[in-house]
Amino acid sequence: MLFLDILGFSDLVESKGVSEIYAVIDNALKTFGRWEELNGSFKTIYFSDTFIFYQESKGYGKWAFLDIYAIGGMVLSALLAAHIPARGAISFGEFEVQFDSTGRHQVYFGKALVEAYKAEQLEKWIGITILPSAWKPYEEQSPGIVDVFAKEGVWLMREDGILLLNPFIKLRSWYVPAMIGEVDRPYSKWDAPEFPNDILGFKFLRDKAAHYAAENNFTSPVAIKYYTTIFFLKDILGRDLYEWGERAALPINF
């Protein structure tokens, strides 16, 4: 399951009107809804600033792991493209979704939810972590593949065994074709919506970090989240791809 929080939601509620807040939530739910339609194995639960995207069937499957991390990355990319920062964690384990005895109220609980919630709260960046409970069973069934994916820039393995997910995998996959002229411009019309979302989401993170730097704000918790995320992106994308991402969003290209 993916547990995902909208960051800064309390400030949004305090500073924006009802219609603006509703638009943010509605936009996010549309993103999840699109993937529910494309992949009928997952459902979405929403409350306040939190989204839970969970596997409806029981049991661990390699297909489910591959789907949840890929969909999670593309959902985050879409949210960032819409200027909605979010942070989440992917876990696997017990998670129950049922109705109460009256059939009126949905009840959900489980160890996977608690684990993902606690893990997400500890992070100081904007992104999605994949917990060992989710990736280790996959590694046991397909030894060495987790490292292969790391070399391909899908995620970074942290020293504590947590994977840091790259949400801009489409940016990477179209980089080489773009360099040799196989991707037509404007990029906003190419492989939509995922590829344009990656470009816009990447631009949003860079612009926000630059905004805080221009204010000489290097120590506030919100600024640190953006700086930490940019540091991660420079690491996982590499210099050439990172610099190309900067150019891809220019009006002449996008």
Side-chain angles (χ1 to χ4, degrees):
M1 63 165 287
L2 166 64
F3 180 94
L4 194 71
D5 265 351
I6 295 176
L7 299 177
F9 192 76
S10 296
D11 292 339
L12 186 70
V13 171
E14 293 175 357
S15 62
K16 303 296 183 180
V18 172
S19 60
E20 292 175 279
I21 298 168
Y22 177 83
V24 170
I25 297 169
D26 187 57
N27 188 53
L29 284 172
K30 285 178 181 177
T31 300
F32 281 98
R34 177 172 180 267
W35 284 105
E36 281 189 43
E37 293 177 1
L38 293 173
N39 186 321
S41 300
F42 292 87
K43 300 294 182 184
T44 305
I45 295 171
Y46 165 74
F47 56 96
S48 185
D49 61 349
T50 299
F51 301 86
I52 300 172
F53 193 67
Y54 68 97
Q55 175 188 335
E56 195 170 27
S57 60
K58 300 295 184 181
Y60 190 93
K62 291 196 298 183
W63 64 269
F65 173 71
L66 295 172
D67 285 353
I68 193 69
Y69 90 72
I71 293 173
M74 287 185 279
V75 165
L76 178 58
S77 173
L79 294 177
L80 294 173
H83 297 184
I84 303 173
R87 185 179 62 214
I90 294 173
S91 64
F92 175 75
E94 176 192 19
F95 182 61
E96 295 294 327
V97 180
Q98 303 178 21
F99 282 94
D100 69 350
S101 59
T102 68
R104 296 174 57 197
H105 307 106
Q106 194 176 54
V107 178
Y108 42 88
F109 59 90
K111 293 180 180 179
L113 175 59
V114 174
E115 180 188 28
Y117 166 75
K118 289 183 176 180
E120 182 271 329
Q121 291 291 301
L122 292 174
E123 298 296 328
K124 304 301 181 183
W125 70 315
I126 299 162
I128 293 174
T129 55
I130 305 175
L131 306 182
S133 65
W135 71 260
K136 281 192 173 181
Y138 181 80
E139 174 69 12
E140 290 173 0
Q141 296 179 32
S142 302
I145 300 299
V146 169
D147 286 339
V148 170
F149 284 173
K151 292 176 182 177
E152 293 177 351
V154 175
W155 48 56
L156 285 180
M157 171 77 78
R158 205 162 61 187
E159 291 182 356
D160 58 2
I162 290 176
L163 304 179
L164 309 181
L165 183 64
N166 176 8
F168 302 135
I169 201 66
K170 288 287 187 177
L171 193 69
R172 174 176 291 278
S173 64
W174 290 113
Y175 168 61
V176 172
M179 290 296 94
I180 62 177
E182 293 183 356
V183 179
D184 296 330
R185 289 176 291 183
Y187 297 143
S188 58
K189 303 297 184 182
W190 187 272
D191 193 21
E194 280 74 36
F195 182 43
N197 280 344
D198 276 14
I199 295 173
L200 292 176
F202 179 74
K203 181 178 185 298
F204 167 71
L205 292 173
R206 287 190 63 259
D207 287 351
K208 290 292 287 187
H211 167 76
Y212 288 116
E215 293 183 336
N216 290 319
N217 180 353
F218 299 102
T219 58
S220 72
V222 64
I224 289 173
K225 289 185 179 72
Y226 284 96
Y227 296 142
T228 303
T229 305
I230 292 300
F231 180 81
F232 162 73
L233 291 174
K234 288 181 177 180
D235 191 6
I236 198 166
L237 297 177
R239 187 186 66 181
D240 291 344
L241 178 53
Y242 185 91
E243 292 178 354
W244 179 72
E246 293 176 320
R247 297 193 301 271
L250 294 175
I252 192 175
N253 294 320
F254 194 79

